[in-house]
């Protein structure tokens, strides 16, 4: 079946530090992969996505590459800011009946 | 922004009472989902719909029912609310085919 395993948090970094949040998946077929971000008191919003192997999604300085050989979609940012503090969710989509599969989320806190 | 509206945004109710949460979309998306979000558990799927009058259970469906009589509305009902159903509930929609999901702002439900 389909599933997503995401690095447990919380993650605490200083401003300008490098960020990696690991995400691996199990899937049948050819899923799309997503990273969502949730700011306090809000719903989830799409951060970036990739629809096929070797695609790189990017947005707001964040990047993730769809690696079929390692079934991974790790989120990276070279220099985090305080405003990046949020919860990040890795997700898998494109399955039968449109079901989405989410990781448990990783809380990121960035200190000035 | 995608038009996903949840109502109410906040509700306090007593144990044993019925509660209905509403999700309304203006995107004409085929797929709609109800999740609950609790600390330490991430997002958990309650029920989802893959078309009008077509619904299926998610991983935490006990105590919940859903209805979808038209494309734009997806209702979540707690037949007899319990304190364990105190949570933040999110509605989401997708057009399917591996496209991104859009989320509502959430409903904070407290059962006392």
């Amino acid at each position: 079946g389909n599933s997503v395993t995401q690095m447990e948090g919380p993650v605490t970094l200083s401003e300008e530090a490098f960020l990696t949040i690991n995400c691996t998946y199990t899937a049948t077929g050819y899923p799309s992969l997503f990273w969502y971000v949730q700011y306090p008191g809000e719903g989830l919003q799409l951060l970036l996505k990739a629809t096929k192997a070797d695609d790189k999604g990017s947005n707001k300085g964040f990047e993730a590459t769809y690696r079929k050989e390692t079934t991974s979609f790790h989120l990276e940012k070279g220099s985090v800011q305080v405003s990046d503090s949020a919860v990040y969710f890795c997700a898998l989509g494109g399955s039968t009946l449109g079901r989405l599969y989410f990781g448990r989320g990783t809380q990121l806190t960035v200190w000035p | 922004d995608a038009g996903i509206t949840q109502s109410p945004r906040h509700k306090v109710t007593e144990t044993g009472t019925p509660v209905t949460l509403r999700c309304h979309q203006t995107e004409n998306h085929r797929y709609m989902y109800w999740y609950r979000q609790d600390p330490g558990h991430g997002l958990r799927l309650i029920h989802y719909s893959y078309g009008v009058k077509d619904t299926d259970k998610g991983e935490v469906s006990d105590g919940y029912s859903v209805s979808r009589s038209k494309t734009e509305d997806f209702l979540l009902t707690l037949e007899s609310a319990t304190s364990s159903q105190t949570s933040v509930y999110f509605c989401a929609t997708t057009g399917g085919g591996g496209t991104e999901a859009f989320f509502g702002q959430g409903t904070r439900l407290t059962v006392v």
Side-chain angles (χ1 to χ4, degrees), chain A residues 10-76:
Chain A
V11 174
T12 303
L13 295 172
S14 297
E15 205 165 26
E16 299 184 2
F18 184 85
L19 168 71
T20 299
I21 301 177
N22 290 337
C23 172
T24 57
Y25 68 91
T26 302
T28 55
Y30 304 95
S32 296
L33 299 173
F34 307 89
W35 277 100
Y36 287 86
V37 59
Q38 184 182 32
Y39 299 103
E42 299 184 9
L44 280 71
Q45 55 186 276
L46 181 69
L47 179 61
L48 54 83
K49 66 180 180 182
T51 57
K52 61 183 188 296
D54 299 325
D55 269 2
K56 178 185 282 188
S58 61
N59 186 25
K60 299 181 182 179
F62 291 90
E63 293 183 341
T65 301
Y66 189 158
R67 302 281 189 203
K68 191 174 181 183
E69 64 275 13
T70 56
T71 63
S72 65
F73 193 55
H74 305 321
L75 183 68
E76 296 182 336

Side-chain angles (χ1 to χ4, degrees), chain A residues 6 21 33-39 43-49 73 75 86-93 100-103 105-106, chain B residues 43 92-94 98-103:
Chain A
Q6 182 177 343
I21 301 177
L33 299 173
F34 307 89
W35 277 100
Y36 287 86
V37 59
Q38 184 182 32
Y39 299 103
L44 280 71
Q45 55 186 276
L46 181 69
L47 179 61
L48 54 83
K49 66 180 180 182
F73 193 55
L75 183 68
V87 181
Y88 292 82
F89 292 89
C90 185
L92 179 156
L100 305 174
Y101 297 84
F102 285 87
T106 302
Chain B
L43 286 172
T93 75
T94 76
T99 57
E100 69 191 81
F102 295 90
F103 281 80

